[in-house]
Amino acid sequence: MKKLLLFQLLFCVTVLSAQYTQTRVLHVKSENITQFEEAVVKKTKMFNKEDGSIILTYKVLTGDNMGVYERYLVGQTNKSYDLDRSEELKYWEKNVSPYADPVSGQQRWMWEEWATIGEQAPPKFLTKTIIRFKPGMRDHISRYIYRTGKVLEKRNPTAFRRVFSPVSGGDMNILVMFSGFDEYGREWSNIDTTWEEDYNEMFGWEQQSNDEMLRDKSLREWNGRVRTTLERLDF
């Protein structure tokens, strides 16, 4: 009974303290880009400048969806979904939606805080990696993400990373990882050791190769990892 109560308490604390992100992916025809971006700028100034309503807009630079816009409503809590956003939605439908076509429906994601690296503001560029794993194999992927993050922090103190898991609106057996930077010509710290040496020193002899083997076995055979690059638009 005590174990059940403890589990319920931990579950409630996790849910109540979790942060969420809501995403929307949009395709805009070339002849509508100027009107779309001007409409988004105006909407952002009207509705999306306060904490809890901030939306970041990125444009995809590589991959099959090159050119689409990805919109991220960040810093959400479970209570955020009780808010009345009807005026904002009406404005979107009337003034922005005519210039854009949804690529997919809205999706909600939970921020995996344990995988976070860096406290800086969202960077200019993001490398987005979608990791698709076999059912029941998430632990191997999460372990590898966590451990590589610790090595990355040591080797690059200015690194940025965020990881999200799906809550609603899509495939539940995925994790999405964002690594960020502000310029392509950035330099890493000068370190005499190799990545593998640091990894094995932190987590044990031959642990990197073992973790990589378990990671690869956990990935789906088709499109197990897909990576694209995004650029933030200052709306």
Coordinates of all heavy atoms in Angstrom, one line a residue, residues 115-150:
A115 N 17.5 15.4 -20.0 CA 18.4 15.4 -21.1 C 18.8 16.8 -21.5 O 19.5 16.9 -22.5 CB 17.7 14.7 -22.3
T116 N 18.4 17.8 -20.8 CA 18.7 19.2 -21.1 C 20.2 19.5 -20.9 O 20.8 19.1 -20.0 CB 17.9 20.1 -20.2 OG1 16.5 19.9 -20.6 CG2 18.3 21.6 -20.5
I117 N 20.7 20.2 -21.9 CA 22.1 20.8 -21.8 C 22.0 22.3 -22.2 O 21.4 22.7 -23.2 CB 23.0 20.1 -22.8 CG1 23.2 18.6 -22.5 CG2 24.4 20.8 -22.8 CD1 24.0 17.9 -23.5
G118 N 22.6 23.1 -21.3 CA 22.6 24.6 -21.5 C 21.4 25.3 -21.1 O 20.3 24.7 -21.1
E119 N 21.5 26.5 -20.6 CA 20.4 27.3 -20.2 C 20.2 28.6 -21.0 O 19.4 29.4 -20.7 CB 20.7 27.8 -18.7 CG 20.9 26.6 -17.7 CD 19.6 25.8 -17.6 OE1 18.5 26.3 -17.8 OE2 19.7 24.6 -17.3
Q120 N 20.9 28.7 -22.1 CA 20.8 29.8 -23.0 C 19.5 29.9 -23.7 O 18.8 28.9 -23.8 CB 22.0 29.9 -23.9 CG 22.1 28.7 -24.9 CD 23.0 27.6 -24.4 OE1 22.9 27.2 -23.3 NE2 23.9 27.2 -25.2
A121 N 19.2 31.1 -24.3 CA 18.0 31.2 -25.1 C 18.1 30.4 -26.3 O 19.1 29.9 -26.7 CB 17.9 32.7 -25.5
P122 N 16.9 30.1 -26.9 CA 16.9 29.3 -28.1 C 17.8 29.8 -29.2 O 17.8 31.0 -29.5 CB 15.4 29.4 -28.6 CG 14.6 29.6 -27.3 CD 15.6 30.5 -26.5
P123 N 18.7 29.0 -29.8 CA 19.7 29.4 -30.7 C 19.1 29.7 -32.1 O 18.0 29.4 -32.4 CB 20.7 28.2 -30.7 CG 19.8 27.1 -30.4 CD 18.8 27.5 -29.5
K124 N 20.0 30.3 -32.9 CA 19.6 30.7 -34.3 C 19.4 29.4 -35.1 O 18.4 29.4 -35.9 CB 20.7 31.5 -34.9 CG 20.5 31.9 -36.4 CD 19.4 32.9 -36.5 CE 19.3 33.5 -37.9 NZ 18.1 34.4 -38.0
F125 N 20.2 28.4 -35.0 CA 20.0 27.2 -35.7 C 19.8 26.0 -34.8 O 20.3 25.9 -33.7 CB 21.3 26.9 -36.6 CG 21.6 28.0 -37.6 CD1 22.5 29.0 -37.3 CD2 20.9 28.1 -38.8 CE1 22.8 30.0 -38.2 CE2 21.2 29.1 -39.7 CZ 22.1 30.0 -39.4
L126 N 19.0 25.1 -35.3 CA 18.7 23.8 -34.6 C 19.0 22.6 -35.5 O 18.6 22.7 -36.7 CB 17.2 23.7 -34.1 CG 16.8 24.7 -33.0 CD1 15.3 24.5 -32.8 CD2 17.5 24.4 -31.7
T127 N 19.6 21.6 -35.0 CA 19.7 20.3 -35.6 C 18.7 19.4 -35.0 O 18.8 19.1 -33.8 CB 21.1 19.7 -35.5 OG1 22.1 20.6 -36.1 CG2 21.2 18.4 -36.2
K128 N 17.7 19.0 -35.7 CA 16.6 18.3 -35.2 C 16.7 16.8 -35.6 O 16.8 16.5 -36.8 CB 15.3 18.8 -35.7 CG 14.0 18.0 -35.3 CD 12.8 18.7 -36.0 CE 11.5 17.9 -35.7 NZ 10.3 18.5 -36.4
T129 N 16.8 15.9 -34.6 CA 16.9 14.5 -34.8 C 15.7 13.8 -34.3 O 15.4 13.8 -33.1 CB 18.2 13.9 -34.2 OG1 19.3 14.7 -34.6 CG2 18.4 12.5 -34.5
I130 N 15.0 13.1 -35.2 CA 13.8 12.3 -34.8 C 14.3 10.8 -34.6 O 14.9 10.3 -35.6 CB 12.7 12.4 -35.8 CG1 12.2 13.8 -36.0 CG2 11.5 11.5 -35.4 CD1 11.2 14.0 -37.1
I131 N 14.2 10.3 -33.4 CA 14.6 8.9 -33.1 C 13.4 8.0 -33.0 O 12.6 8.2 -32.1 CB 15.5 8.9 -31.8 CG1 16.7 9.9 -32.0 CG2 16.0 7.5 -31.5 CD1 17.4 10.1 -30.7
R132 N 13.3 7.1 -33.9 CA 12.2 6.1 -33.8 C 12.7 4.8 -33.3 O 13.6 4.2 -33.9 CB 11.6 6.0 -35.2 CG 11.0 7.3 -35.8 CD 10.4 7.0 -37.2 NE 9.7 8.2 -37.7 CZ 10.3 9.2 -38.5 NH1 11.6 9.0 -38.8 NH2 9.6 10.2 -38.9
F133 N 12.1 4.3 -32.2 CA 12.6 3.1 -31.6 C 11.5 2.0 -31.5 O 10.3 2.4 -31.7 CB 13.1 3.4 -30.2 CG 12.1 4.1 -29.3 CD1 11.2 3.5 -28.6 CD2 12.2 5.5 -29.2 CE1 10.3 4.2 -27.7 CE2 11.4 6.3 -28.4 CZ 10.4 5.6 -27.6
K134 N 11.9 0.8 -31.4 CA 11.0 -0.3 -31.3 C 10.2 -0.2 -30.0 O 10.7 0.2 -29.0 CB 11.7 -1.6 -31.5 CG 12.5 -1.8 -32.8 CD 13.4 -3.0 -32.7 CE 14.3 -3.0 -34.0 NZ 15.2 -4.2 -33.9
P135 N 8.9 -0.7 -30.0 CA 8.2 -0.7 -28.7 C 8.9 -1.4 -27.6 O 9.5 -2.5 -27.8 CB 6.9 -1.4 -29.1 CG 6.7 -1.2 -30.6 CD 8.1 -1.2 -31.1
G136 N 8.9 -0.8 -26.4 CA 9.6 -1.4 -25.3 C 11.1 -1.2 -25.2 O 11.7 -1.6 -24.3
M137 N 11.7 -0.4 -26.2 CA 13.1 -0.3 -26.2 C 13.6 1.2 -25.9 O 14.7 1.5 -26.2 CB 13.6 -0.7 -27.6 CG 13.2 -2.1 -28.1 SD 14.1 -3.3 -27.1 CE 15.6 -3.4 -27.9
R138 N 12.7 2.0 -25.4 CA 13.1 3.4 -25.1 C 14.2 3.5 -24.1 O 15.0 4.4 -24.3 CB 11.8 4.1 -24.6 CG 12.2 5.5 -24.1 CD 11.0 6.4 -23.8 NE 11.4 7.5 -23.0 CZ 10.7 8.6 -22.8 NH1 9.5 8.7 -23.4 NH2 11.1 9.6 -22.1
D139 N 14.3 2.7 -23.1 CA 15.3 2.8 -22.1 C 16.7 2.8 -22.7 O 17.6 3.6 -22.2 CB 15.2 1.7 -21.1 CG 14.0 1.9 -20.1 OD1 13.4 3.0 -20.2 OD2 13.7 1.0 -19.4
H140 N 17.0 2.0 -23.7 CA 18.3 2.0 -24.3 C 18.6 3.3 -25.0 O 19.7 3.8 -25.0 CB 18.4 0.8 -25.3 CG 18.3 -0.5 -24.7 ND1 19.0 -0.9 -23.6 CD2 17.6 -1.6 -25.1 CE1 18.7 -2.1 -23.3 NE2 17.8 -2.6 -24.1
I141 N 17.6 3.9 -25.7 CA 17.8 5.2 -26.4 C 18.0 6.3 -25.3 O 18.9 7.1 -25.5 CB 16.6 5.5 -27.2 CG1 16.3 4.4 -28.3 CG2 16.7 6.8 -27.9 CD1 17.5 4.2 -29.3
S142 N 17.2 6.3 -24.3 CA 17.3 7.3 -23.3 C 18.7 7.3 -22.6 O 19.3 8.3 -22.3 CB 16.2 7.2 -22.2 OG 14.9 7.4 -22.8
R143 N 19.1 6.1 -22.3 CA 20.5 5.9 -21.6 C 21.5 6.5 -22.5 O 22.4 7.3 -22.0 CB 20.8 4.5 -21.4 CG 22.1 4.3 -20.6 CD 22.5 2.8 -20.6 NE 21.4 2.0 -20.0 CZ 20.7 1.1 -20.7 NH1 21.0 0.9 -22.0 NH2 19.8 0.4 -20.1
Y144 N 21.5 6.2 -23.8 CA 22.5 6.7 -24.7 C 22.4 8.3 -24.8 O 23.5 9.0 -24.8 CB 22.3 6.1 -26.1 CG 23.4 6.5 -27.0 CD1 24.7 5.9 -27.0 CD2 23.2 7.4 -28.1 CE1 25.7 6.2 -27.8 CE2 24.2 7.8 -28.9 CZ 25.5 7.2 -28.8 OH 26.5 7.5 -29.7
I145 N 21.2 8.8 -24.9 CA 21.1 10.3 -25.0 C 21.6 10.9 -23.7 O 22.3 11.9 -23.8 CB 19.6 10.6 -25.1 CG1 19.1 10.2 -26.5 CG2 19.3 12.1 -24.9 CD1 17.6 10.4 -26.8
Y146 N 21.3 10.4 -22.5 CA 21.7 10.9 -21.3 C 23.3 10.9 -21.2 O 23.9 11.9 -20.9 CB 21.2 10.2 -20.1 CG 21.7 10.6 -18.8 CD1 21.2 11.7 -18.1 CD2 22.7 9.9 -18.1 CE1 21.7 12.2 -16.9 CE2 23.2 10.3 -16.9 CZ 22.7 11.4 -16.3 OH 23.3 11.8 -15.1
R147 N 23.9 9.8 -21.5 CA 25.3 9.7 -21.4 C 26.1 10.5 -22.4 O 27.1 11.1 -22.1 CB 25.7 8.2 -21.5 CG 25.2 7.4 -20.2 CD 25.6 5.9 -20.3 NE 25.3 5.3 -19.0 CZ 25.6 4.0 -18.8 NH1 26.1 3.2 -19.7 NH2 25.3 3.5 -17.6
T148 N 25.6 10.5 -23.6 CA 26.3 11.4 -24.6 C 26.2 12.9 -24.2 O 27.1 13.6 -24.5 CB 25.7 11.2 -26.0 OG1 24.3 11.3 -26.0 CG2 26.0 9.8 -26.6
G149 N 25.1 13.2 -23.5 CA 24.9 14.6 -23.1 C 26.0 14.9 -22.0 O 26.5 16.1 -22.1
K150 N 26.3 14.0 -21.1 CA 27.3 14.3 -20.1 C 28.7 14.5 -20.7 O 29.5 15.3 -20.3 CB 27.3 13.2 -19.1 CG 26.0 13.1 -18.3 CD 25.8 14.4 -17.5 CE 24.5 14.4 -16.7 NZ 24.3 15.7 -16.1

